[in-house]
Amino acid sequence: MSEKTILLDHGSGGLASQQLISELFIKHLDNPILRGLEDSAVLKNRPGNLAFTTDSYVVDPIFFPGGDIGHLAVHGTINDLAMRGAEPLCLSLGLILEEGFSLQELEQIIISIGSACKKTGVPIVTGDTKVVPRGKGDKIFINTSGIGFVDENLEISSLKACEGDAVILSGTMGDHGITIMTRRAGISVQGDLRSDTMPLHKLVKSLLAEIPDSIHTLRDPTRGGVATTLNEIAENSGLAIELESKALPVRPEVNAACELLGLEPLYLANEGKCLVVVKGDSAQRALAIMQSTEEGRDAAIIGKMVAGKAGRVVINTPVGGSRVVMALHGMPLPRIC
Amino acid sequence: MSEKTILLDHGSGGLASQQLISELFIKHLDNPILRGLEDSAVLKNRPGNLAFTTDSYVVDPIFFPGGDIGHLAVHGTINDLAMRGAEPLCLSLGLILEEGFSLQELEQIIISIGSACKKTGVPIVTGDTKVVPRGKGDKIFINTSGIGFVDENLEISSLKACEGDAVILSGTMGDHGITIMTRRAGISVQGDLRSDTMPLHKLVKSLLAEIPDSIHTLRDPTRGGVATTLNEIAENSGLAIELESKALPVRPEVNAACELLGLEPLYLANEGKCLVVVKGDSAQRALAIMQSTEEGRDAAIIGKMVAGKAGRVVINTPVGGSRVVMALHGMPLPRIC
């Protein structure tokens, strides 16, 4: 392209818009359905129930150790489909660009999206681009919506968690949240902090292939972290949750950075982790399946669903005490994803 | 709600986010699937191919004569589904809110969305809300994605336009575009300028119920207007298009405002109109079906597909001449939808 930045004209629907579509989007995201460039994509249907989800990504900074806003937008929406037990079929891509945004950075993000789509096998089939004047947006906001298919006999939901179920976390907590926060604050910390952005549909598929009836609830603890997501599961299931502090997987670098900043890893966003609520007697089997995958190699049983005040989450501390873990409240961490 | 404006905390994923969801979104958009508040909506599948589309809405001003950004977001995505002959099933709703945005205005928009969903019979089944700091967005941006079902034997596409087909426009041109432009420029014009925002799925359904095999192409001329959309149809079909200037429906108020501002209605955005390319011998039947609906009462046959240079659109002027109508080029009209 001859221009170096996004112009208002790129959002006009005229020739400049078409140039952006052909020289960037079709170039890096190409597939037969997207190429049609019609008002809607039309795809072959498949058996099963439909899963449908949407997420907007406004993360700041847009590039960070471990990924960028493009990776997040593909993985995050795939993960939201996977959390209902769905096999993802395709994604849409809605861009809101700020006038003056670097075309080279835009291309880098589109390349990330294309590469994440290729790796996950989930294509972008339809899209839309808008441009807002300088100062009315911030570089790039991305919306991805996604469609998947769920086995008609499968019902995974936070309503299904039962007393005696084990709670498994698929890996270490807080990697994404602490990476964005330290990056944004310009704080440099010893050790390798990087986002955990990762697709989880294959891990979920492995679990459902082997023990479909034992998997009751799947949730990815993004904004609000593990603490907030567990509070929601407890609330919806009408049960309490008991966590073991020493079982919670946290990377030492993340712990160190949290201590420095006075943060609690339980409240930090994750972008490649899920919470699995599984029948108690299948917990070890589920753990083994998860640990045998790359995404779940650090998986750990962190607690269990127990009778008690509905919605209450308590954590047993190493010194033999226990404390209540509330949902995130009054701690504005904007633009973490 | 006790707060009067959107706070960063409303996007944190914690309690303030949940309050927004229960006190605004569930209140005005309620349905059994949305109420689940899971990571994805799960819906019963239906026979037919799947249609999938996405659109972001960044219109400025967010309230305008004839509607608001909420109406646009529902109708626009329904129309993109209808343009492939799909029956819309459901929508997603992704909001990007600016810190400091009025909660009362947000509620007004959510009420509009709820009312448009109710009237069209197409529910919001899944959603997401992000908040960006003051000055990094502009009040509210909305993404709606949509799913619909298309009869497996139906293939409506701009590739299918044939020589001899008639081109019908479902109503007057430019109403939305001129309303936004005059409003934004603070120009007051004689007469009643108002957006044409309107859902078109029922009009399309009427056509497909009676003459499914005669309908070759459906497109809604939004950004870039009728001129740009016709250029795309001509390009994709490998044909030329001949328009009759005197057949083009334009409301007198819109014409007057265009003359005042030096604009051409052919390039102005429409939000409740479609172009129908129909077999020549079914043109009168299609016109009658369209004119019998409220959405299509001003429908007119405006031209035909002809052999000639692929992608060329010409217009015959009232004085017996003709001129080429190009796609929109170099005319930045940002945030028209």
Side-chain angles (χ1 to χ4, degrees):
Chain A
M1 298 210 179
S2 54
E3 311 92 339
K4 297 275 196 299
T5 62
I6 286 292
L7 310 173
L8 286 174
D9 205 19
H10 283 118
S12 66
L15 291 176
S17 304
Q18 287 170 25
Q19 198 184 1
L20 203 62
I21 290 169
S22 58
E23 294 182 18
L24 262 192
F25 304 147
I26 296 295
K27 182 175 167 195
H28 298 297
L29 306 175
D30 192 34
N31 63 66
I33 297 167
L34 182 65
R35 210 178 302 144
L37 297 177
E38 302 271 359
D39 286 327
S40 311
V42 173
L43 305 105
K44 280 243 162 294
N45 206 339
R46 291 192 198 169
N49 287 328
L50 279 175
F52 184 31
T53 192
T54 194
D55 236 328
S56 298
Y57 298 85
V58 299
V59 65
D60 169 33
I62 54 176
F63 298 99
F64 45 80
D68 61 40
I69 190 171
H71 292 107
L72 280 194
V74 173
H75 298 161
T77 294
I78 286 176
N79 291 348
D80 279 343
L81 292 171
M83 293 308 113
R84 297 302 300 276
E87 181 125 21
L89 174 73
C90 61
L91 302 176
S92 64
L93 178 67
L95 302 178
I96 299 176
L97 306 175
E98 185 191 9
E99 178 191 15
F101 180 50
S102 152
L103 265 175
Q104 185 261 320
E105 290 190 347
L106 175 60
E107 181 157 28
Q108 206 177 325
I109 290 164
I110 300 297
I111 289 171
S112 283
I113 292 174
S115 131
C117 288
K118 208 168 165 183
K119 273 189 200 154
T120 55
V122 185
I124 304 285
V125 296
T126 188
D128 173 62
T129 303
K130 294 292 190 302
V131 179
V132 295
R134 214 178 284 266
K136 299 293 185 184
D138 193 14
K139 296 180 178 172
I140 179 169
F141 300 147
I142 301 183
N143 177 285
T144 43
S145 301
I147 300 179
F149 293 99
V150 194
D151 188 315
E152 281 174 10
N153 301 313
L154 194 69
E155 201 199 320
I156 290 179
S157 148
S158 51
L159 299 172
K160 288 198 58 195
C162 299
E163 192 181 334
D165 283 357
V167 179
I168 307 181
L169 178 60
S170 68
T172 55
M173 285 193 304
D175 299 76
H176 179 75
I178 201 73
T179 303
I180 299 299
M181 291 178 75
T182 51
R183 199 32 74 128
R184 203 148 69 199
I187 297 165
S188 87
V189 187
Q190 271 206 321
D192 182 29
L193 291 185
R194 45 197 302 123
S195 169
D196 60 343
T197 175
M198 210 185 293
L200 297 168
H201 61 311
K202 286 176 187 165
L203 179 149
V204 168
K205 197 176 174 178
S206 304
L207 283 170
L208 295 178
E210 298 211 33
I211 45 169
D213 300 332
S214 300
I215 307 298
H216 292 163
T217 308
L218 296 167
R219 290 291 298 271
D220 58 338
T222 55
R223 280 182 294 177
V226 169
T228 305
T229 306
L230 287 177
N231 268 271
E232 289 170 16
I233 294 173
E235 182 103 13
N236 291 350
S237 63
L239 293 168
I241 296 177
E242 203 178 306
L243 298 177
E244 296 303 326
S245 170
K246 62 181 189 299
L248 289 166
V250 187
R251 295 175 63 223
E253 301 91 313
V254 173
N255 244 338
C258 280
E259 276 174 23
L260 190 74
L261 296 168
L263 295 168
E264 168 77 91
L266 274 166
Y267 291 98
L268 292 179
N270 309 279
E271 289 292 338
K273 300 294 153 46
C274 62
L275 287 158
V276 181
V277 180
V278 57
K279 240 171 118 175
D281 58 14
S282 300
Q284 290 302 331
R285 181 84 196 98
L287 186 66
I289 295 167
M290 291 169 75
Q291 287 176 339
S292 74
T293 65
E294 197 198 324
E295 309 89 285
R297 60 166 189 255
D298 298 323
I301 298 176
I302 62 168
K304 59 185 178 215
M305 306 299 305
V306 294
K309 193 173 167 233
R312 189 182 184 92
V313 180
V314 295
I315 188 164
N316 296 326
T317 60
V319 292
S322 76
R323 63 181 171 87
V324 172
V325 177
M326 308 286 287
L328 182 69
H329 182 45
M331 188 188 179
L333 297 174
R335 306 184 66 186
I336 210 77
C337 61
Chain B
M1 298 208 180
S2 54
E3 312 92 339
K4 296 276 195 300
T5 63
I6 286 292
L7 309 172
L8 286 174
D9 206 19
H10 283 117
S12 66
L15 291 176
S17 304
Q18 287 169 25
Q19 199 186 359
L20 203 61
I21 290 169
S22 60
E23 294 184 17
L24 263 191
F25 305 147
I26 296 295
K27 181 174 167 196
H28 298 298
L29 307 175
D30 191 34
N31 62 69
I33 298 168
L34 182 64
R35 211 178 303 144
L37 296 177
E38 302 271 358
D39 286 327
S40 312
V42 173
L43 305 106
K44 280 243 163 296
N45 205 338
R46 291 193 198 169
N49 287 327
L50 279 175
F52 185 30
T53 192
T54 193
D55 236 328
S56 299
Y57 299 84
V58 298
V59 65
D60 169 33
I62 55 177
F63 299 99
F64 45 80
D68 61 40
I69 189 170
H71 292 105
L72 280 193
V74 174
H75 298 160
T77 294
I78 286 177
N79 290 349
D80 280 343
L81 292 171
M83 294 305 114
R84 297 302 299 277
E87 182 124 17
L89 174 73
C90 62
L91 302 177
S92 64
L93 179 66
L95 302 178
I96 299 176
L97 305 175
E98 185 190 10
E99 177 190 15
F101 180 50
S102 152
L103 265 175
Q104 184 261 318
E105 290 190 348
L106 175 61
E107 181 158 27
Q108 206 176 327
I109 291 165
I110 300 297
I111 290 171
S112 283
I113 292 174
S115 132
C117 287
K118 208 167 165 186
K119 274 190 199 153
T120 56
V122 185
I124 303 285
V125 296
T126 188
D128 173 62
T129 304
K130 295 292 189 302
V131 179
V132 295
R134 215 178 282 266
K136 300 293 185 185
D138 194 14
K139 296 179 178 172
I140 179 169
F141 300 146
I142 302 182
N143 177 284
T144 43
S145 300
I147 300 180
F149 293 99
V150 194
D151 189 313
E152 281 175 10
N153 301 312
L154 195 69
E155 201 200 320
I156 289 179
S157 148
S158 51
L159 299 172
K160 288 197 58 194
C162 299
E163 192 181 333
D165 283 357
V167 179
I168 306 181
L169 179 59
S170 68
T172 55
M173 287 194 302
D175 298 76
H176 179 75
I178 201 73
T179 303
I180 299 299
M181 291 178 76
T182 50
R183 202 27 77 127
R184 202 147 70 200
I187 298 165
S188 85
V189 187
Q190 272 208 318
D192 180 30
L193 291 185
R194 45 198 300 125
S195 170
D196 60 343
T197 177
M198 208 186 293
L200 298 168
H201 60 310
K202 287 175 188 166
L203 179 148
V204 168
K205 196 174 174 180
S206 304
L207 284 170
L208 295 178
E210 298 213 32
I211 46 169
D213 300 332
S214 300
I215 306 298
H216 292 162
T217 308
L218 295 166
R219 291 291 298 272
D220 58 337
T222 55
R223 282 182 293 177
V226 169
T228 305
T229 305
L230 288 177
N231 268 270
E232 288 169 17
I233 294 174
E235 182 103 13
N236 291 350
S237 62
L239 293 168
I241 295 177
E242 203 176 308
L243 298 177
E244 296 303 326
S245 170
K246 61 180 189 301
L248 289 166
V250 187
R251 294 174 64 222
E253 301 90 313
V254 173
N255 243 338
C258 280
E259 276 175 23
L260 190 73
L261 296 168
L263 295 169
E264 168 78 91
L266 274 167
Y267 291 98
L268 292 179
N270 309 278
E271 289 292 337
K273 301 293 153 49
C274 63
L275 287 158
V276 181
V277 180
V278 56
K279 242 170 117 177
D281 57 15
S282 300
Q284 289 302 331
R285 182 83 196 100
L287 186 66
I289 295 168
M290 292 169 75
Q291 287 176 340
S292 73
T293 67
E294 196 198 324
E295 309 90 285
R297 60 167 190 252
D298 298 323
I301 298 176
I302 62 168
K304 59 186 177 211
M305 307 300 303
V306 295
K309 193 174 166 231
R312 190 182 184 92
V313 180
V314 295
I315 188 164
N316 296 325
T317 60
V319 292
S322 77
R323 62 182 172 87
V324 172
V325 177
M326 308 287 285
L328 182 68
H329 182 44
M331 188 186 180
L333 298 175
R335 307 183 64 186
I336 210 77
C337 61

